[in-house]
Amino acid sequence: MAGDTPVSHHTVIANTPWEAATVGTKKDVQPHRDERAWVRVTEESSRAVYKYAFK
């Protein structure tokens, strides 16, 4: 994400949202605060949304 705009998307099968963010971006991530570039992970079964930023 760049601000609130999606810039790409990937479908990833992972055990945790954190792992999905890492596998999908091929980068280490940390919890999202106010970073402009960040990663949104949506768990399809529950529609829960998780936010991460790059380390």
Side-chain angles (χ1 to χ4, degrees), residues 2 5 7 9 21-24 33 39-41 43 46 52-54:
T5 304
V7 294
H9 73 276
T22 302
V23 169
R33 290 185 277 280
V39 178
R40 179 177 66 195
V41 174
E43 187 175 331
S46 67
Y52 301 100
F54 301 113

Side-chain angles (χ1 to χ4, degrees), residues 28-33 35 37-39 51-55:
D28 290 331
V29 295
Q30 62 189 10
H32 169 64
R33 290 185 277 280
E35 296 86 357
W38 58 283
V39 178
K51 299 175 182 179
Y52 301 100
F54 301 113
K55 283 188 177 182

Side-chain angles (χ1 to χ4, degrees), residues 1-25:
M1 302 285 289
D4 291 329
T5 304
V7 294
S8 68
H9 73 276
H10 302 280
T11 301
V12 176
I13 297 172
N15 292 322
T16 65
W18 186 282
E19 180 184 349
T22 302
V23 169
T25 63

